[in-house]
Amino acid sequence: MSDNQLIITKDGSHSLFSQKHGVSYHSKYGAIQETQHVFINAGFQHKTPTTSLSILGIGFGTGLNAFMTFLESKKQEINVNYIGVEAYPLSMETINEFNFSEILKEEESAFQKMHELNWEKSHALNDHFQLTKMKMMIEDIDFKNQFDLIYFDAFGPGSQPELWEEPILQEMYDALRVDGVLTTYCAKGSVKRGLKKVGFTIEALPGPPGKREMTRATKMELPEIEIEGDNSKGGFINVDVFSKDQAAEPIKEAIQIIQEEISNGFLSIKFNTNKTGKTANVKILGIDGNVLLDKNIPVTPTAQNLDIQEISNGNYFVAIKFGDHIKTSLITKI
Ligand SMILES: C[S@@+](CC[C@H](N)C(=O)[O-])C[C@H]1O[C@@H](n2cnc3c(N)ncnc32)[C@H](O)[C@@H]1O
Protein backbone atom coordinates (compact mmCIF):
# COMPACT_ATOMS: atom_id res chain seq x y z
CA MET A 1 0.00 0.00 0.00
CA SER A 2 1.28 3.49 -0.84
CA ASP A 3 2.23 5.59 2.18
CA ASN A 4 0.05 8.43 0.89
CA GLN A 5 -3.60 8.26 -0.01
CA LEU A 6 -5.27 10.79 -2.34
CA ILE A 7 -8.16 12.64 -0.65
CA ILE A 8 -10.60 15.37 -1.68
CA THR A 9 -10.91 18.29 0.73
CA LYS A 10 -14.06 20.35 1.29
CA ASP A 11 -13.27 23.03 -1.33
CA GLY A 12 -12.93 20.27 -3.93
CA SER A 13 -9.14 20.36 -4.13
CA HIS A 14 -7.02 17.29 -3.62
CA SER A 15 -4.63 16.55 -0.80
CA LEU A 16 -2.82 13.51 0.54
CA PHE A 17 -3.29 11.62 3.75
CA SER A 18 0.06 10.43 5.07
CA GLN A 19 -0.28 6.98 6.66
CA LYS A 20 3.21 7.38 8.10
CA HIS A 21 2.42 10.59 9.97
CA GLY A 22 -1.29 9.95 10.49
CA VAL A 23 -2.26 13.39 9.13
CA SER A 24 -3.18 15.03 5.83
CA TYR A 25 -0.91 17.37 3.87
CA HIS A 26 -3.52 20.16 4.05
CA SER A 27 -6.64 21.13 5.95
CA LYS A 28 -9.51 18.75 5.24
CA TYR A 29 -11.70 21.88 4.97
CA GLY A 30 -9.90 22.93 1.79
CA ALA A 31 -6.30 22.57 0.60
CA ILE A 32 -6.38 25.49 -1.84
CA GLN A 33 -8.35 27.61 0.60
CA GLU A 34 -5.78 26.95 3.34
CA THR A 35 -2.79 27.81 1.15
CA GLN A 36 -4.53 30.97 -0.05
CA HIS A 37 -5.35 32.09 3.48
CA VAL A 38 -2.25 31.13 5.47
CA PHE A 39 0.56 31.55 2.97
CA ILE A 40 -0.62 33.81 0.15
CA ASN A 41 -2.85 36.26 2.03
CA ALA A 42 -1.14 36.35 5.44
CA GLY A 43 2.38 35.93 4.02
CA PHE A 44 2.93 36.92 0.40
CA GLN A 45 0.35 39.70 0.26
CA HIS A 46 1.40 41.00 3.66
CA LYS A 47 4.93 41.53 2.25
CA THR A 48 3.70 43.45 -0.80
CA PRO A 49 3.93 45.94 -2.42
CA THR A 50 7.49 45.02 -3.24
CA THR A 51 9.42 44.18 -6.39
CA SER A 52 10.98 40.96 -5.19
CA LEU A 53 10.64 38.31 -2.51
CA SER A 54 12.89 35.54 -1.37
CA ILE A 55 10.79 32.67 0.01
CA LEU A 56 11.59 29.48 1.92
CA GLY A 57 8.92 26.79 1.66
CA ILE A 58 9.23 24.28 4.51
CA GLY A 59 7.76 21.07 3.20
CA PHE A 60 7.56 21.24 -0.61
CA GLY A 61 5.24 18.22 -0.66
CA THR A 62 2.52 18.47 -3.29
CA GLY A 63 3.98 21.79 -4.50
CA LEU A 64 0.69 23.58 -3.88
CA ASN A 65 2.24 26.44 -1.88
CA ALA A 66 4.92 26.96 -4.52
CA PHE A 67 2.39 26.74 -7.35
CA MET A 68 -0.01 29.27 -5.84
CA THR A 69 2.93 31.58 -5.10
CA PHE A 70 3.99 31.23 -8.73
CA LEU A 71 0.50 32.27 -9.86
CA GLU A 72 0.44 35.21 -7.43
CA SER A 73 3.88 36.43 -8.52
CA LYS A 74 2.72 36.32 -12.14
CA LYS A 75 -0.42 38.31 -11.29
CA GLN A 76 1.43 40.93 -9.26
CA GLU A 77 4.61 40.89 -11.38
CA ILE A 78 6.83 40.30 -8.36
CA ASN A 79 10.18 38.56 -8.77
CA VAL A 80 10.26 35.52 -6.55
CA ASN A 81 13.18 33.34 -5.59
CA TYR A 82 11.56 30.26 -4.03
CA ILE A 83 13.46 27.54 -2.20
CA GLY A 84 11.40 24.49 -1.35
CA VAL A 85 12.77 22.00 1.19
CA GLU A 86 11.49 18.44 1.15
CA ALA A 87 12.88 15.18 2.52
CA TYR A 88 10.37 12.84 0.91
CA PRO A 89 9.57 13.86 -2.69
CA LEU A 90 6.38 12.46 -4.17
CA SER A 91 6.29 10.29 -7.28
CA MET A 92 5.16 11.77 -10.62
CA GLU A 93 2.41 9.19 -10.60
CA THR A 94 0.94 10.76 -7.44
CA ILE A 95 1.55 14.31 -8.67
CA ASN A 96 -0.25 13.68 -11.95
CA GLU A 97 -3.43 12.92 -10.04
CA PHE A 98 -3.76 16.35 -8.42
CA ASN A 99 -6.55 18.67 -9.62
CA PHE A 100 -4.89 21.94 -8.55
CA SER A 101 -4.36 23.29 -12.09
CA GLU A 102 -7.92 22.48 -13.04
CA ILE A 103 -9.41 24.27 -10.01
CA LEU A 104 -7.04 27.23 -10.26
CA LYS A 105 -7.76 27.42 -14.01
CA GLU A 106 -4.14 27.25 -14.99
CA GLU A 107 -2.49 25.15 -17.65
CA GLU A 108 -1.41 21.81 -16.23
CA SER A 109 2.05 22.25 -17.77
CA ALA A 110 3.37 24.82 -15.25
CA PHE A 111 2.53 22.60 -12.28
CA GLN A 112 4.00 19.55 -13.95
CA LYS A 113 7.12 21.39 -15.00
CA MET A 114 7.67 22.50 -11.42
CA HIS A 115 7.74 18.88 -10.33
CA GLU A 116 9.83 17.60 -13.22
CA LEU A 117 12.68 20.06 -12.62
CA ASN A 118 15.88 18.61 -11.20
CA TRP A 119 16.46 18.95 -7.50
CA GLU A 120 19.26 21.09 -6.01
CA LYS A 121 19.32 23.42 -9.03
CA SER A 122 17.79 26.84 -9.57
CA HIS A 123 15.33 27.01 -12.50
CA ALA A 124 13.38 29.90 -14.05
CA LEU A 125 9.72 28.94 -14.42
CA ASN A 126 9.08 32.26 -16.16
CA ASP A 127 10.63 35.76 -16.08
CA HIS A 128 9.47 36.27 -12.50
CA PHE A 129 9.78 32.96 -10.73
CA GLN A 130 12.97 31.15 -9.81
CA LEU A 131 12.56 27.77 -8.12
CA THR A 132 15.08 25.60 -6.28
CA LYS A 133 13.89 22.33 -4.79
CA MET A 134 16.22 20.98 -2.10
CA LYS A 135 15.96 17.38 -1.04
CA MET A 136 17.01 17.65 2.55
CA MET A 137 15.83 17.33 6.13
CA ILE A 138 14.35 20.39 7.78
CA GLU A 139 16.66 19.53 10.70
CA ASP A 140 19.70 20.23 8.49
CA ILE A 141 18.68 23.73 7.42
CA ASP A 142 21.36 26.36 7.98
CA PHE A 143 20.38 29.52 6.09
CA LYS A 144 21.38 32.93 7.39
CA ASN A 145 19.57 36.26 6.85
CA GLN A 146 18.40 35.25 3.43
CA PHE A 147 14.61 35.14 3.24
CA ASP A 148 11.77 37.67 3.36
CA LEU A 149 9.19 35.02 3.95
CA ILE A 150 8.97 31.49 5.32
CA TYR A 151 5.98 29.25 4.76
CA PHE A 152 6.27 26.93 7.73
CA ASP A 153 4.23 23.96 6.58
CA ALA A 154 5.60 20.85 8.28
CA PHE A 155 3.17 18.25 9.62
CA GLY A 156 1.65 19.50 12.87
CA PRO A 157 3.28 19.38 16.32
CA GLY A 158 1.06 16.41 17.17
CA SER A 159 2.90 14.22 14.65
CA GLN A 160 6.28 15.95 14.35
CA PRO A 161 6.84 17.75 17.70
CA GLU A 162 10.59 18.08 17.15
CA LEU A 163 10.03 20.36 14.13
CA TRP A 164 8.10 22.87 16.26
CA GLU A 165 10.60 23.22 19.07
CA GLU A 166 13.16 25.92 19.71
CA PRO A 167 16.19 24.57 17.77
CA ILE A 168 14.23 24.50 14.50
CA LEU A 169 12.37 27.74 15.26
CA GLN A 170 15.75 29.36 15.92
CA GLU A 171 16.95 28.15 12.49
CA MET A 172 13.86 29.76 10.96
CA TYR A 173 14.55 33.03 12.78
CA ASP A 174 18.16 32.99 11.62
CA ALA A 175 17.16 32.22 8.03
CA LEU A 176 15.03 35.38 7.81
CA ARG A 177 16.22 38.88 7.11
CA VAL A 178 15.23 41.63 9.54
CA ASP A 179 11.51 42.36 8.97
CA GLY A 180 11.14 38.88 7.49
CA VAL A 181 7.94 37.00 8.23
CA LEU A 182 7.06 33.36 8.96
CA THR A 183 3.49 32.19 8.57
CA THR A 184 2.01 28.92 9.70
CA TYR A 185 -1.40 27.36 10.12
CA CYS A 186 -0.37 26.31 13.64
CA ALA A 187 -1.63 28.30 16.63
CA LYS A 188 -0.57 26.00 19.45
CA GLY A 189 0.44 27.85 22.65
CA SER A 190 3.78 26.08 23.06
CA VAL A 191 4.73 26.87 19.45
CA LYS A 192 3.82 30.54 19.89
CA ARG A 193 5.88 30.66 23.08
CA GLY A 194 8.80 28.99 21.28
CA LEU A 195 8.61 31.53 18.46
CA LYS A 196 8.65 34.38 20.99
CA LYS A 197 11.52 32.81 22.86
CA VAL A 198 13.78 32.75 19.80
CA GLY A 199 13.04 36.42 19.18
CA PHE A 200 9.95 36.64 16.99
CA THR A 201 7.12 39.11 17.51
CA ILE A 202 3.96 37.15 16.94
CA GLU A 203 0.41 37.84 15.81
CA ALA A 204 -2.55 35.53 16.19
CA LEU A 205 -4.65 35.94 13.05
CA PRO A 206 -8.01 34.39 12.17
CA GLY A 207 -7.40 30.95 10.69
CA PRO A 208 -8.68 29.49 7.43
CA PRO A 209 -12.12 27.82 7.39
CA GLY A 210 -12.31 25.17 10.11
CA LYS A 211 -9.56 26.75 12.20
CA ARG A 212 -9.97 29.58 14.72
CA GLU A 213 -6.43 30.93 14.59
CA MET A 214 -3.17 30.88 12.68
CA THR A 215 0.18 32.50 13.47
CA ARG A 216 2.32 35.12 11.81
CA ALA A 217 5.78 35.73 13.30
CA THR A 218 8.00 38.69 12.39
CA LYS A 219 11.72 39.14 12.90
CA MET A 220 11.60 42.72 14.17
CA GLU A 221 14.54 45.04 14.07
CA LEU A 222 16.03 45.45 17.54
CA PRO A 223 17.43 48.82 18.59
CA GLU A 224 21.03 49.52 19.33
CA ILE A 225 21.38 50.45 22.98
CA GLU A 226 23.83 52.85 24.49
CA ILE A 227 24.33 53.11 28.22
CA GLU A 228 25.95 56.37 29.13
CA GLY A 229 27.90 56.44 32.33
CA ASP A 230 29.35 59.53 33.91
CA ASN A 231 29.28 62.09 31.14
CA SER A 232 31.39 64.54 33.10
CA LYS A 233 34.24 62.07 32.92
CA GLY A 234 33.59 61.46 29.27
CA GLY A 235 32.43 57.97 30.15
CA PHE A 236 30.34 56.58 27.40
CA ILE A 237 29.25 53.00 27.13
CA ASN A 238 28.04 51.63 23.87
CA VAL A 239 26.32 48.29 24.13
CA ASP A 240 25.73 47.15 20.63
CA VAL A 241 22.65 44.99 20.87
CA PHE A 242 22.02 44.47 17.23
CA SER A 243 22.52 46.39 14.09
CA LYS A 244 21.59 45.73 10.51
CA ASP A 245 25.27 45.80 9.55
CA GLN A 246 25.91 42.89 11.84
CA ALA A 247 22.92 40.99 10.56
CA ALA A 248 25.15 38.11 9.51
CA GLU A 249 26.28 37.63 13.11
CA PRO A 250 24.16 35.73 15.62
CA ILE A 251 22.64 38.31 17.96
CA LYS A 252 23.86 36.63 21.10
CA GLU A 253 27.47 37.01 20.02
CA ALA A 254 27.00 40.79 19.75
CA ILE A 255 26.68 41.03 23.52
CA GLN A 256 29.46 42.97 25.20
CA ILE A 257 30.21 43.25 28.89
CA ILE A 258 31.45 46.74 29.64
CA GLN A 259 32.66 48.39 32.83
CA GLU A 260 31.89 51.98 33.69
CA GLU A 261 31.89 54.37 36.60
CA ILE A 262 28.94 56.49 37.63
CA SER A 263 29.60 59.49 39.84
CA ASN A 264 26.53 61.67 39.42
CA GLY A 265 23.92 59.14 40.54
CA PHE A 266 22.21 58.91 37.17
CA LEU A 267 22.48 56.17 34.67
CA SER A 268 21.69 57.64 31.32
CA ILE A 269 20.23 55.30 28.72
CA LYS A 270 19.71 55.94 25.06
CA PHE A 271 18.18 53.71 22.41
CA ASN A 272 19.43 54.22 18.89
CA THR A 273 16.16 53.63 17.16
CA ASN A 274 13.44 55.59 15.41
CA LYS A 275 10.82 53.24 16.73
CA THR A 276 8.95 54.18 19.89
CA GLY A 277 6.07 52.61 21.80
CA LYS A 278 8.06 49.64 23.09
CA THR A 279 9.31 48.99 26.60
CA ALA A 280 12.66 47.78 27.87
CA ASN A 281 13.37 46.46 31.35
CA VAL A 282 16.34 47.68 33.34
CA LYS A 283 17.63 45.91 36.40
CA ILE A 284 20.47 46.88 38.74
CA LEU A 285 21.79 43.91 40.63
CA GLY A 286 24.30 43.64 43.38
CA ILE A 287 27.34 41.45 42.82
CA ASP A 288 25.59 38.76 44.89
CA GLY A 289 22.65 38.84 42.46
CA ASN A 290 20.30 40.87 44.70
CA VAL A 291 17.91 42.95 42.59
CA LEU A 292 18.19 46.58 43.80
CA LEU A 293 16.21 48.26 41.04
CA ASP A 294 13.73 46.85 38.56
CA LYS A 295 12.14 49.34 36.21
CA ASN A 296 10.39 49.33 32.86
CA ILE A 297 11.35 52.27 30.73
CA PRO A 298 10.01 53.44 27.39
CA VAL A 299 12.21 52.89 24.36
CA THR A 300 12.88 56.39 23.06
CA PRO A 301 15.50 57.77 20.69
CA THR A 302 16.47 60.48 23.22
CA ALA A 303 18.60 59.86 26.30
CA GLN A 304 16.78 59.37 29.60
CA ASN A 305 18.27 59.42 33.09
CA LEU A 306 17.62 56.63 35.50
CA ASP A 307 17.91 57.75 39.10
CA ILE A 308 20.21 55.43 41.08
CA GLN A 309 21.01 57.92 43.87
CA GLU A 310 19.34 55.61 46.41
CA ILE A 311 21.84 52.92 45.64
CA SER A 312 25.03 53.09 47.70
CA ASN A 313 28.46 53.25 46.14
CA GLY A 314 29.94 50.01 44.91
CA ASN A 315 29.96 47.59 42.02
CA TYR A 316 26.75 46.48 40.34
CA PHE A 317 25.48 44.71 37.30
CA VAL A 318 23.15 46.55 35.01
CA ALA A 319 20.97 44.36 32.81
CA ILE A 320 18.78 45.69 30.05
CA LYS A 321 16.17 43.41 28.57
CA PHE A 322 14.43 44.13 25.31
CA GLY A 323 12.25 41.34 23.96
CA ASP A 324 14.19 38.19 24.70
CA HIS A 325 17.61 39.78 24.46
CA ILE A 326 19.48 40.73 27.59
CA LYS A 327 22.55 42.92 27.77
CA THR A 328 24.58 43.14 30.95
CA SER A 329 27.35 45.49 32.06
CA LEU A 330 29.30 45.95 35.22
CA ILE A 331 29.05 49.46 36.66
CA THR A 332 30.86 51.09 39.55
CA LYS A 333 29.07 53.84 41.47
CA ILE A 334 31.54 56.19 43.12
C1 LIG B 1 1.94 19.38 5.88
S1 LIG B 1 2.85 18.71 4.51
C2 LIG B 1 2.82 20.16 3.50
C3 LIG B 1 3.49 20.05 2.20
C4 LIG B 1 3.40 21.20 1.19
N1 LIG B 1 3.56 22.48 1.77
C5 LIG B 1 2.21 21.06 0.31
O1 LIG B 1 1.62 22.10 -0.01
O2 LIG B 1 1.90 19.99 -0.09
C6 LIG B 1 4.48 18.57 5.25
C7 LIG B 1 5.59 18.22 4.28
O3 LIG B 1 6.84 18.23 5.00
C8 LIG B 1 7.60 17.10 4.59
N2 LIG B 1 8.46 16.72 5.72
C9 LIG B 1 8.07 16.13 6.88
N3 LIG B 1 9.12 15.96 7.71
C10 LIG B 1 10.19 16.49 7.07
C11 LIG B 1 11.55 16.66 7.44
N4 LIG B 1 12.01 16.27 8.62
N5 LIG B 1 12.38 17.26 6.56
C12 LIG B 1 11.92 17.68 5.33
N6 LIG B 1 10.63 17.55 4.96
C13 LIG B 1 9.77 16.97 5.80
C14 LIG B 1 6.58 16.04 4.26
O4 LIG B 1 7.11 15.07 3.41
C15 LIG B 1 5.50 16.89 3.61
O5 LIG B 1 5.72 17.03 2.26
Side-chain angles (χ1 to χ4, degrees):
M1 188 180 68
S2 157
D3 180 44
N4 294 312
Q5 185 191 337
L6 191 71
I7 57 168
I8 296 194
T9 63
K10 278 198 180 152
D11 67 1
S13 55
H14 278 142
S15 185
L16 294 173
F17 182 83
S18 165
Q19 310 281 0
K20 182 173 156 201
H21 293 98
V23 279
S24 57
Y25 275 52
H26 306 96
S27 159
K28 63 180 184 194
Y29 294 97
I32 286 183
Q33 235 171 213
E34 181 184 45
T35 292
Q36 182 68 42
H37 185 99
V38 177
F39 302 111
I40 306 299
N41 296 356
F44 193 95
Q45 288 180 0
H46 174 71
K47 291 298 287 176
T48 57
T50 183
T51 51
S52 66
L53 282 175
S54 175
I55 303 178
L56 176 63
I58 295 296
F60 185 77
T62 64
L64 181 60
N65 292 346
F67 185 50
M68 289 182 69
T69 303
F70 164 72
L71 298 179
E72 194 64 26
S73 71
K74 211 159 65 152
K75 196 159 84 189
Q76 294 199 40
E77 299 193 344
I78 292 171
N79 295 326
V80 169
N81 186 18
Y82 194 106
I83 295 187
V85 168
E86 176 60 59
Y88 316 107
L90 299 170
S91 69
M92 274 319 278
E93 194 189 343
T94 302
I95 286 153
N96 286 336
E97 292 193 77
F98 296 140
N99 61 5
F100 302 140
S101 299
E102 191 189 317
I103 294 185
L104 294 166
K105 301 194 177 11
E106 181 68 20
E107 281 177 57
E108 185 68 31
S109 56
F111 182 69
Q112 261 196 334
K113 185 174 168 196
M114 221 174 64
H115 280 285
E116 281 165 357
L117 296 172
N118 292 339
W119 291 73
E120 325 303 340
K121 284 204 171 100
S122 177
H123 306 271
L125 277 187
N126 64 10
D127 289 348
H128 290 296
F129 198 91
Q130 203 74 27
L131 174 67
T132 310
K133 296 183 292 178
M134 298 182 74
K135 186 171 180 303
M136 67 185 287
M137 298 294 285
I138 294 165
E139 291 86 332
D140 295 333
I141 282 177
D142 186 24
F143 298 113
K144 297 281 177 252
N145 303 293
Q146 192 173 329
F147 298 98
D148 302 302
L149 193 52
I150 295 178
Y151 299 157
F152 199 74
D153 198 13
F155 290 122
S159 53
Q160 297 192 292
E162 67 286 359
L163 298 183
W164 301 84
E165 286 166 2
E166 276 171 46
I168 299 286
L169 302 180
Q170 182 72 61
E171 284 300 334
M172 297 301 115
Y173 185 88
D174 294 345
L176 285 170
R177 297 185 175 128
V178 170
D179 290 332
V181 161
L182 173 150
T183 60
T184 177
Y185 61 86
C186 180
K188 197 174 171 191
S190 60
V191 174
K192 288 195 279 188
R193 284 193 292 280
L195 286 164
K196 269 194 195 165
K197 196 120 186 255
V198 301
F200 280 109
T201 300
I202 65 157
E203 297 166 271
L205 304 176
K211 199 141 196 314
R212 200 166 57 84
E213 258 186 24
M214 59 158 283
T215 307
R216 179 163 62 208
T218 305
K219 179 173 177 170
M220 291 282 197
E221 182 181 8
L222 295 173
E224 290 169 29
I225 295 178
E226 285 173 11
I227 306 172
E228 291 173 20
D230 179 4
N231 291 340
S232 65
K233 295 174 78 190
F236 186 76
I237 307 173
N238 188 350
V239 180
D240 196 3
V241 172
F242 182 77
S243 78
K244 273 190 170 170
D245 302 337
Q246 292 177 320
E249 297 294 321
I251 290 169
K252 289 180 191 94
E253 285 177 16
I255 295 175
Q256 300 167 18
I257 308 285
I258 297 154
Q259 281 191 305
E260 190 51 283
E261 286 181 350
I262 294 180
S263 62
N264 61 0
F266 291 93
L267 177 67
S268 175
I269 299 171
K270 197 168 113 208
F271 296 86
N272 282 343
T273 177
N274 295 325
K275 294 185 180 166
T276 52
K278 299 209 176 290
T279 304
N281 177 258
V282 184
K283 279 192 179 65
I284 308 262
L285 300 95
I287 297 300
D288 57 0
N290 245 6
V291 179
L292 301 166
L293 181 138
D294 184 347
K295 207 169 160 55
N296 288 330
I297 60 165
V299 171
T300 58
T302 49
Q304 47 190 310
N305 288 327
L306 195 66
D307 190 344
I308 55 167
Q309 290 179 95
E310 296 290 318
I311 295 176
S312 48
N313 290 351
N315 293 326
Y316 302 96
F317 287 114
V318 54
I320 300 190
K321 185 170 189 285
F322 179 79
D324 285 319
H325 303 281
I326 301 176
K327 302 292 146 191
T328 54
S329 299
L330 188 66
I331 56 167
T332 307
K333 188 164 177 254
I334 51 173

